[in-house]
Each structure stands twice: as structure tokens, then as C-alpha cells.
Amino acid sequence: MNPLTRVFMRLTHGWRGDLLALVAGVATPLAFAPIAWWPLAVLTTAVLLAVWLFSAPRRAAWRGFLYGLGLFSVGISWVFISIHYHGYVDLGLALLLTLLLIVVMAMFPLLLGALLGRLFPQGFETRATRYKLLLVFPAAWALMEWTRGWFLTGFPWLSLGYSQTDSPLAGLAPLVGVYGVSWAVVFSAALLVGLLLDKAGRIFYSAMLVLLWLVAGVLNDVDWTRPHGAPLDVALLQGNIPQDLKWHPDVRRPTIELYTELTRQHWDADLIVWPETALPAFYYETESFLNDLEAEAQQYDTDMLIGMLTLDKDKRRYFNTMMSIGTQRGQYHKNHLVPFTEYLPLKSILGGLVSFMQVPMSDFSKGGADQAPLKVADQYAGISICFEDAFGEEIINALPEATLLVNVSNDAWFDDSWAPPQHLQMARMRALETGRPMLRATNTGISAVIDEKGRIIERAPQFQVASISATIQPRTGMTVYAVTANWLVVVVALLLIGVSFWRLRRAPVE
């Protein structure tokens, strides 16, 4: 037995292995924004894989849960801020609801650890465990994150691929999307474990690791899309309205005046974008104001995108809306709503939970998945509102017509936590996946202009009234990911797992 293998077996025995799994989970969020130590994602995942290799099924499940508990307790603790401070839920109940979400998310690595621990033997002395490490682990991880992205409407936060927006692995995003990048992170971690534990295969593991990162780095320089039309001068406005005041009647007029003043400073732009619900009123209440603003915009040949609420009076439904004004009117209604804050699942059963949480405007209707991009400044914009940009498979529905992406949000719900920089990082991934520039206008930050490579061109400081200007190049064409969505990763992952089982059944290991 390799001496290093003996060391690992001692380190992973009993409570030591449990502690390693927990520490790996706690450290992993540091790989994401705002800390952005992206190599850490590979290292912490390698620790978890090594721990799993030497765990019986029940222990592997427990260690998966500890990893998830550490990961989500640190990485999404900001959920508590929105529930308690802005949802006005009692401290004890807010803590309970936050813990419940963390536990539910931790169940995913728990189930993955249990499944892999049951299907493959412990240790690193057989062909089966090498299949498990190199083929099954990365593929199963990608499937786990993909499932987390749609199960119960989806919560894809802290998928490992997002941590790599500034690493060479970002070059894989236009091919395989965020879950494919996650696969590459876990595969890199598996190669590191193999490099340490499998003395006979060190040349192979080293070569594969170098090759993966080298190819990904080269792909960063590939242009998957091409310019379309003339560059656009754009301006993004950030009003910095505190969440606790946003819907107060006395603040409505000052808010409108602030955004109008900021707008008039940028009539030289082709496109001006206001954040999500920047206009703190229904469309029918401000129609006269919007008509006047539109007439003024037309004088300067400027188009605008404005976040507001719209109401279908006949059906008594209201929507979280982005409206285009200027050369032509258009609307996009938010479709992927946040459960328990924007709508209530099983409303007839759960009753007044949302009203109990006192969340303003918390009974939205869906806009529909087939909404067309909005025409602005002679281009077509794929619109997403709030956390809709967390779902790459939904963003590509606007392609190939959309030549740029626009996301508007109100991350004031999360104060000065890690949520806004994490959210910005996810928007950068959407730009990478689609090969399109992304305009991101937010209420309190982080507003940013992102190019088709996911690089930030301009960004506004948080918690300041600000506006940012930049020139972007709209683009056309389809990346591989835009054509295949997540199905390429899902199918390949299933094939790799299937082939591993088939090979092991044909050639039983010693």
C-alpha cells in the first residue's frame, strides 16, 4: 500500500474524516465572490473526494451532509437577512427557516455520498475505485448540481462552476455551461487525489490535469459569437433606495425624481436601464409620467428599459415587469418567481404564510416562458429579472434573436452580505455561456457592464447613488451551450456512469 494512502486512511478515520468534510464545506464559499480564491474550489473538493474514498456508505452520507452544512451555512447565510430584517419575521422563526433551507441543500451531497459509497468499495486499491474517482465522481457531481438547479423550482446557488469565472476553466462555459465547468472542477480534484494516492499513475494524472487546464485556457480566446451592428453606448442607473423605504408612499415621488435626474444626465446614450421595480408604482399610476419621459427620450433618440409593476385589472393579476420605451413599447414579465416571497406554492394549503412574512408585493403571476426579447436601440435584448439569471437554460431561450442580455435586480434585500457579489458572478457566467454582453442594473448594487467573455467593463460602487456608462458590442451567433443547454452535460454524465458500471461488470476487479 502506498504510504500516502496509509496517511489518508488515518486522517479520514472516524471523527477526523468528519471534521475534514465539514472544514472543506466551510472553506469552499471562499472560492466564490467576493473572496474569489478560485483554486480553493479544487482543493476543498479534493479533500471531500479523498474522505469519501475511505468511507463506508453510511459514513459517506454523513460526511456529505457535513460538507453541505458547512458550504451552505457560510455561503447562503444571507438568506436570514432577507427573512428577518426585510421580511420582518421573528428572530427565532427566521433562524429556523434559514436552517431548514441549509439542511435541504445539504441533503444533495448527503445523497450523493450515500449512493457512491454504496455502489463502490472503499479504499484506493482496485480498478473500481479508480473508475469511481475519475469517471463517476465528476459526472455524478454535475448531475447533482443540475438536479438542484430545477428541483422544487431550483436553487443553483454555489454550483462550483461559478467560482471559476476568473480561472482558465471559464473557457469551457460556452461549450458546457456552468455544470460542465463544475464537472471540470471535480475532475481536477479527482486527478489531484489520484496524483497523491496512485503512485503508478502519477504521470497519467499529471498529464490529464495539465491538458484539461491548458485546453480550457486556450478556449478562453475562442470567439463563439460575432459582432452584430454598431456598438451601443449604454447607461445603467443605481438609485440606492433602502429596502425598508422603497415602497413607502412618501418616498415614491423623490425616487421618481432621482431616476429622472440621473436619466437626463445620459441622453447621449443609446440605451438607459433602470433597475428592478425602480419605478415604485404600477404602470397605470404613472402612465402620464412615462408618456412624457418617452417623448423626451425620443427627442434624443434614446431607448429605455424601466422596472415597474403592471396590473391586469380584468384578471386581477400583477407582474414584475421591465418595460421598454422610446422607439417602441414592449414588456417583459418575470416568469421564474421566488417561492414564498413572490408567490406561495400550495396556496390553498399554506394559507397566509406570505402575508405573515409581510413581504411587499408577494403574490405575483408568471409572465410565461415564451416571451420574446425586447427591441431596444435597433437590437434585441434578452431580459431577466432578479434571480432569473441564475438559470442558464432559461436565459438561452432568448437566443438567437437576442444580441445582448439585460438583468435587473434589487439585491437590497441582502444588505452588505456576500449575496450581491455572488449574484454578479452568476450574471458573468451567463455572458460567458451565451457569448453576449450583459447589462446588470440594480437598486443598491452591484450594477455592472459585462462583456461577452464575462469580464467586467464597468461597475458601480455598492450603496451609493450612481450611474455607469460604457460602450458594448452586440453579438450574434450561438455557442455550443446555447444550442444544447444542459443536456450535453447530463447525457455525457449519464453515459460515463453507465460505461463505468458496464466495464466493471465485464471485467470484475480483484
Side-chain angles (χ1 to χ4, degrees):
M1 181 182 292
N2 183 349
L4 274 176
T5 302
R6 291 193 180 92
V7 172
F8 266 79
M9 289 180 67
R10 294 192 190 99
L11 286 175
T12 59
H13 181 71
W15 64 269
R16 298 182 187 87
D18 299 345
L19 181 60
L20 281 173
L22 179 62
V23 170
V26 167
T28 298
L30 301 178
F32 297 82
I35 308 302
W37 294 343
W38 53 263
L40 198 59
V42 177
L43 298 177
T44 56
T45 307
V47 171
L48 178 63
L49 297 187
V51 167
W52 267 345
L53 277 176
F54 299 101
S55 301
R58 187 171 296 180
R59 200 72 183 231
W62 171 240
R63 289 170 174 177
F65 178 75
L66 289 174
Y67 170 86
L69 199 63
L71 172 68
F72 294 106
S73 293
V74 174
I76 63 168
S77 58
W78 40 261
V79 170
F80 170 79
I81 297 173
S82 64
I83 296 174
H84 178 57
Y85 291 104
H86 301 300
Y88 306 107
V89 174
D90 177 75
L91 175 63
L93 181 57
L95 287 170
L96 179 63
L97 292 173
T98 304
L99 179 60
L100 179 62
L101 176 61
I102 291 169
V103 168
V104 170
M105 291 300 102
M107 293 300 293
F108 286 92
L110 178 152
L111 293 172
L112 182 61
L115 181 64
L116 296 179
R118 184 168 297 278
L119 294 178
F120 291 90
Q122 295 176 246
F124 199 84
E125 297 301 319
T126 68
R127 188 182 309 162
T129 51
R130 296 185 184 105
Y131 276 117
K132 174 182 178 180
L133 183 65
L134 298 180
L135 297 183
V136 178
F137 266 157
W141 192 288
L143 290 174
M144 175 191 71
E145 288 192 348
W146 170 72
T147 302
R148 186 159 62 84
W150 58 260
F151 183 71
L152 296 178
T153 78
F155 190 77
W157 230 272
L158 297 182
S159 294
L160 289 179
Y162 288 119
S163 68
Q164 302 301 300
T165 49
D166 292 307
S167 91
L169 292 183
L172 299 173
L175 280 168
V176 291
V178 66
Y179 301 128
V181 179
S182 293
W183 177 90
V185 171
V186 182
F187 186 60
S188 299
L191 290 170
L192 281 180
V193 174
L195 187 63
L196 288 172
L197 300 185
D198 189 359
K199 185 177 180 180
R202 284 178 179 170
I203 294 178
F204 168 78
Y205 295 118
S206 300
M208 289 295 293
L209 191 60
V210 171
L211 181 63
L212 171 63
W213 285 72
L214 183 62
V215 169
V218 170
L219 289 174
N220 272 297
D221 295 326
V222 175
D223 290 324
W224 299 94
T225 55
R226 58 190 182 277
H228 182 78
L232 296 182
D233 293 325
V234 299
L236 311 183
L237 310 185
Q238 181 175 293
N240 192 39
I241 309 300
Q243 184 61 33
D244 292 343
L245 299 177
K246 181 175 176 63
W247 298 105
H248 196 284
D250 294 340
V251 178
R252 177 183 296 185
R253 180 172 293 278
T255 297
I256 293 174
E257 290 174 349
L258 170 62
Y259 275 104
T260 302
E261 179 184 349
L262 291 173
T263 297
R264 287 173 175 157
Q265 297 172 14
H266 294 282
W267 283 135
D268 57 338
D270 299 303
L271 175 63
I272 299 173
V273 184
W274 292 21
E276 177 187 12
T277 59
L279 198 61
F282 284 101
Y283 168 71
Y284 74 86
E285 297 174 304
T286 57
E287 188 171 3
S288 176
F289 160 75
L290 288 170
N291 289 337
D292 292 342
L293 185 64
E294 183 174 50
E296 191 173 348
Q298 288 172 346
Q299 294 177 15
Y300 294 94
D301 197 25
T302 298
D303 282 353
M304 299 181 63
L305 288 167
I306 300 178
M308 67 185 74
L309 302 177
T310 54
L311 174 67
D312 184 335
K313 292 184 179 180
D314 294 331
K315 297 182 179 179
R316 301 304 301 174
R317 299 190 304 164
Y318 64 90
F319 302 91
N320 188 348
T321 300
M322 282 299 290
M323 178 174 289
S324 62
I325 65 173
T327 55
Q328 71 178 62
R329 287 280 179 102
Q331 291 183 347
Y332 170 82
H333 302 309
K334 186 177 181 182
N335 183 59
H336 197 134
L337 304 178
V338 182
F340 301 104
T341 55
E342 291 182 319
Y343 81 103
L344 183 63
L346 304 174
K347 189 173 182 178
S348 60
I349 299 174
L350 297 179
L353 179 59
V354 168
S355 58
F356 170 73
M357 292 176 65
Q358 304 179 50
V359 179
M361 304 299 179
S362 53
D363 194 17
F364 287 105
S365 296
K366 291 184 177 183
D370 57 349
Q371 299 175 82
L374 298 183
K375 188 174 183 180
V376 290
D378 292 324
Q379 299 288 341
Y380 285 93
I383 309 295
S384 58
I385 298 177
C386 193
F387 94 139
E388 284 186 316
D389 66 343
F391 303 91
E393 66 276 15
E394 297 179 10
I395 295 298
I396 61 175
N397 288 337
L399 307 182
E401 291 81 10
T403 55
L404 67 147
L405 303 177
V406 176
N407 174 256
V408 293
S409 188
N410 178 27
D411 289 341
W413 285 97
F414 309 110
D415 293 345
D416 189 18
S417 68
W418 285 2
Q422 288 174 356
H423 199 175
L424 174 61
Q425 194 169 41
M426 299 171 90
R428 295 176 61 195
M429 181 59 70
R430 300 291 87 84
L432 276 163
E433 291 172 341
T434 60
R436 301 291 198 278
M438 165 74 85
L439 309 179
R440 187 163 190 273
T442 68
N443 177 25
T444 58
I446 305 170
S447 301
V449 178
I450 305 165
D451 72 7
E452 75 279 3
K453 297 292 187 180
R455 298 171 298 209
I456 296 175
I457 300 173
E458 295 285 347
R459 64 183 288 168
Q462 277 188 277
F463 309 113
Q464 295 183 27
V465 176
S467 61
I468 54 176
S469 301
T471 300
I472 63 165
Q473 175 59 65
R475 302 184 73 86
T476 190
M478 297 286 277
T479 63
V480 174
Y481 176 77
V483 174
T484 64
N486 294 321
W487 292 112
L488 177 61
V489 169
V490 171
V491 171
V492 172
L494 290 172
L495 285 175
L496 287 173
I497 294 172
V499 166
S500 297
F501 280 110
W502 177 74
R503 288 288 297 168
L504 291 171
R505 287 177 65 88
R506 283 178 55 91
V509 295
E510 62 276 4

